[in-house]
Amino acid sequence: MISVTVAAPKGAEENPYTVGIVPQFDARRLRATWRPILDALTEQTGLYFELKGSSSIPAFERGVLAGDFDFAYMNPYHMLLVREHYSPLVRDVGKSLYGILVVHKESPLKSIEDLKGERVAFPAPNALGASLLVRAELKELHGIEIKPRYVRSHTSVYLNVVLDETMAGGGIQKTLNQQSAEIRNVLRVIYKTREVSPHPFAAHLNIPQEVRSRVQQAMLDLDGSANGRQLLSRVPVVKLGVAMLEDYKPLQQLGLERYYVQE
Amino acid sequence: MIRLRTKLLLPIIVVYVIFTAIIHFVLGPDMIGQKRLDITERETEVLKSLAPGVASMLAAGDLGALYYAIDTQLSQNRDDGWWSIELFTRDGKRIYPLRAAREFTGSTENKVTIEAKVEQEGNILGALVLTTDVGPGLDKASERIDMLEWIAMALFGLLVAVAAFLQNIWVSRPLDGLTRAATEMAEGDFYAKLPPFRPDEIGQLTRAFELMRHNLLYDTKKRERAEADLRQAHDSLEQHVQGRTRELEIANRKLNDEIVDHQKARERLRLTATVFDNTSEAIIITDKNSKIVDVNHAFSKITGYEKPEVMGKNPNIQQSGRHDKAFYQAMWESIQATGHWKGEIWDKRKNGKIYPKWLTINTVLGEDGEPANYVGIFSDISDVKAAEQKLEKLAYYDVLTGCPNRYLFKERLTHELSIAKRTHEQLALLFIDLDRFKDVNDTLGHKAGDELLQLVARRLISCVREEDTVARMGGDEFTIIINRIQAGGALDRIAQNMLDCLQEPVHIEGHEVFVGGSIGITICPDDSDDFETLVKYADMAMYRAKEKGRGLFEYFHSDMNIAVEQRVDLEANLRRGLIENEFELHYQPKISIGGGRIVGMEALVRWNHNGELLPPKDFIPFCEENGFIVPLGNWVLKQACQDAKRWIEKGHAGVRVAVNVSAVQFEQDDLADIVSSVLEEVGLAPQYLEVEVTESVVMGNVEHAGEMLGRLSDMGVTISIDDFGVGYSSLSYLKRLPIDTIKIDKTFIQDIGSGANDSAIVSAIVSMAHDLSMNVLAEGVETEEQLAFLTMKLCPEIQGYIFSSPLPITKAIQLMQKQTPA
């Protein structure tokens, strides 16, 4: 017996496009942020979207590597890994990501050369700005080997440096600014990595070019309207612009995947 | 004396003191010691439970979490007296807090330090040290002891109160009652209330006391009666002596009063004489026969007569002869009837000069009730009179020309109408309007305009008789009242003479100006004998004269009324149209030649009247004439802003809306305020609004235009000059104004290709605008040839049928969506 069912076309209400979001925050916050954005996209394009959750960052990585999502909001490093399957559409052009190295204010350290063989604190192995970029540049650009210590949070990094538990620590400017004056005032920044483009919103290459352009234009329009601007600011995105694969080339040149620790 | 009550209470108090001492000195310290042990034990447990978590965070280097955990624990237990926690590593390095823990400031006997090991899998990593203040905990225990003492005190207090109450009822109160009764009896009162007779020892005592009091009372009454008789005899003697003394006192007081009255009368006389001589008002006193008996100093000063010259004379020596007999007769009738008269009167000074005075005459009655004297008081009011006349001149005469103004004209005409009615004579009213006055004002300035009006007034006065009235109604309008018209075309001659006079060239500030006028004429009583109607008819006739051509006069005819009524109808229809939404806006796009994009939309009003869509030229001139343009213009401004907001929200942010502002609107001082409040109300940013003003409006009053455009431009509104090229703009003025865009009038564009001259003008305007850094737009572009020419001349923007005619709003938005990528 043969039953013939005619599948609804992709993007229709019964067969929505799947969207994966890197779970940097808890699932409830992600849904509250992204569901209204996808609804606004539907209004603009007439296409329907479904949020596909991931329980953890590794789970999301597995999903995006397997091409499970039609669209995905991923971190810049992921973009490098999946560039064969996904094409970036838009990204935040209003800010850029970079990492910093801090030492104790009274540290005798004169140049980053002195860090050779020393213990350096990082929040986690795969934190893009604070860890991956810093570790890769120390090695690739300056040939410096250090002993990384992963202390789970940015605040822990700074405290380890303040209490002389480690010689230096990797962080980002924003979290350093959030520390209390007691901590901030006894730290100094000795190194700043090059700036890289932030998270792209990318489309699977299986999606027809026409649909990709429509979604890209709709995202840009959303950024232009007052209501859409408010929705995007929760992501947070300062200003959306067109994203290119070239934007992520500097990451590739650093050979970042060698510093990525599979969890 | 120690009261019975006190004696009874003493033993109770002694028992209470012993009881409290036992609680305080024996039970209390025991309880506090126990409490201290309890607290220390409990805190040790809490600290120990914190240690394993701290150990694992320390081992992982997760100091952020470690700080958070200890901070939280510390803040939660602060109320229990937790003072500080410190974390040391095995080699004594302090990990928490960042700086040394705060120094203990509580009482040292309450300071307790507890330590807990921090270990993981048998390895000791360090130690947590807690410093706590047991003070607050111990305070709670001693509070409980205090409470016990309070309860004991309350119980004993109650016992004391009950004992005191019973003693009071049974013993103290009856004894007090007896004591009071005995004391009062000693003072003579035998009726004080006694305590009730209770069946006890005190009751028996009360009964004995009662018997004793009864016997004493009987003896006392007898003695009192004898004393009363003696006192009465003494009192009657005393009263007689007091009566005589009072009579003497009254006589004495009367004598004193009379002396004071005499003094007061003398003082009053002196004061009256002083006032009489020193007041600035003249006073004249006559006897009942009107012979002067006294005058004061002011009288001499005002009239010039010295006192001896007038004594015994009649005041009528001052009469000026300006008032008739009837006037003086009426004055005396008033004096006889009411006793006084007051009013304005013209009299003669000694030197023969006549002057006005304000006079009051009062009658002074004698003791017999008949008039004895007359007192006249007057002041010189020459100054007041002069000021009054000056005011009248200001109120009734036009300052510029010296002609009667609108008010005096009304008074005169009303007066002449009433005379004409009595005498059955004809009267003509002429209404004159100058034909080219506005041009003189606009081109040569207000000063020249004023000079012209003065000249015209002189010429008009020279054309009429002295008894006729030439009045200025305001602006360039004059009216003339001609009395007692003679038959036989006399009026025609007068009117023609006036027109001829007006057409003579005038020389003002080195210019030769030709003015001319139009005259409307109406006749009373043939047309009407009512003031308002006559003025209206003369005005209508003048308009008809203007319509027929300039320099003519026209008599009112009844069919003119009909034309006016049509105008009234049109006005009513317009007002209803605005209420019932009969107006709509169409939009004509402005295109950038380079980008082919729509850069603006000009709002053009249409009137949907009786199913017909009327273009602006069919009703706007009439609206400008009667002022309706102001509400209509405001409606257009608001609607256009709302429409612009609509398309901007659809994503066409590059397209601004242009609104035409008419001359009448532009003259309103509050135009900028209106624009600003409409923008705010609609929520449209000023950069999306463009205001178009015609060249002639700007050049008509450059000073005002500069100020108004400046205010609009400061607000952020874009300014365009419409119909450029047809007026006589001075480039030097244009340069000074905040103008963004010049719109070349379509007459120049239409002739491109046919007349070389116009093409040259267009080129010149475009290159001039480039030099002044202004934008240029060509209006009315219709053919490819025109477009090619403008493209070649680098004209940046165009507007016209070649791209699009004016469109309703929905179509206009569709066009934008098609043309510009949203």
Side-chain angles (χ1 to χ4, degrees), chain B residues 225-241:
Chain B
R225 233 171 276 132
E227 277 171 4
D229 291 345
L230 189 64
R231 211 176 300 126
Q232 210 174 353
H234 177 82
D235 283 354
S236 74
L237 180 67
E238 186 86 341
Q239 265 172 8
H240 187 68
V241 173

Side-chain angles (χ1 to χ4, degrees), chain B residues 239-294:
Chain B
Q239 265 172 8
H240 187 68
V241 173
Q242 274 176 2
R244 283 296 303 158
T245 312
R246 213 171 298 131
E247 277 165 22
L248 275 172
E249 272 172 3
I250 289 168
N252 197 22
R253 207 175 302 136
K254 266 188 186 159
L255 192 61
N256 275 336
D257 286 353
E258 269 167 36
I259 292 169
V260 170
D261 281 350
H262 275 283
Q263 277 170 347
K264 275 188 185 159
R266 263 205 309 278
E267 183 64 22
R268 255 200 312 271
L269 265 176
R270 202 179 57 75
L271 196 64
T272 309
T274 310
V275 170
F276 185 77
D277 270 333
N278 290 310
T279 181
S280 64
E281 281 168 319
I283 304 175
I284 178 167
I285 304 174
T286 71
D287 60 15
K288 61 181 172 186
N289 298 317
S290 298
K291 298 275 175 271
I292 294 175
V293 296
D294 200 359

Side-chain angles (χ1 to χ4, degrees), chain A residues 149 151-152 156 160 162-163 165, chain B residues 59 61-64 93 95 98:
Chain A
R149 182 157 201 233
V151 295
R152 295 188 191 154
S156 289
N160 270 286
V162 170
L163 289 166
E165 292 290 290
Chain B
D62 192 356
L63 300 182
K93 178 180 170 186
I95 294 292
L98 270 185

Side-chain angles (χ1 to χ4, degrees), chain B residues 666-697:
Chain B
F666 197 72
E667 287 298 317
Q668 312 263 314
D669 284 334
D670 59 354
L671 176 65
D673 298 333
I674 289 172
V675 169
S676 150
S677 69
V678 166
L679 285 172
E680 195 176 322
E681 189 188 337
V682 173
L684 185 72
Q687 66 263 28
Y688 296 122
L689 177 64
E690 179 169 349
V691 164
E692 295 193 4
V693 193
T694 64
E695 182 190 12
S696 54
V697 167

Side-chain angles (χ1 to χ4, degrees), chain A residues 149-153 155-157 159-165 180 182-183 186 217 221, chain B residues 56-67 89 93-99 822:
Chain A
R149 182 157 201 233
Y150 301 112
V151 295
R152 295 188 191 154
S153 71
T155 303
S156 289
V157 169
L159 277 170
N160 270 286
V161 180
V162 170
L163 289 166
D164 284 330
E165 292 290 290
S180 65
E182 206 177 15
I183 294 175
V186 293
Q217 188 56 48
D221 287 349
Chain B
S56 76
M57 289 184 264
L58 185 59
D62 192 356
L63 300 182
L66 186 148
Y67 265 62
T89 56
K93 178 180 170 186
R94 190 181 59 240
I95 294 292
Y96 181 96
L98 270 185
R99 296 211 198 109

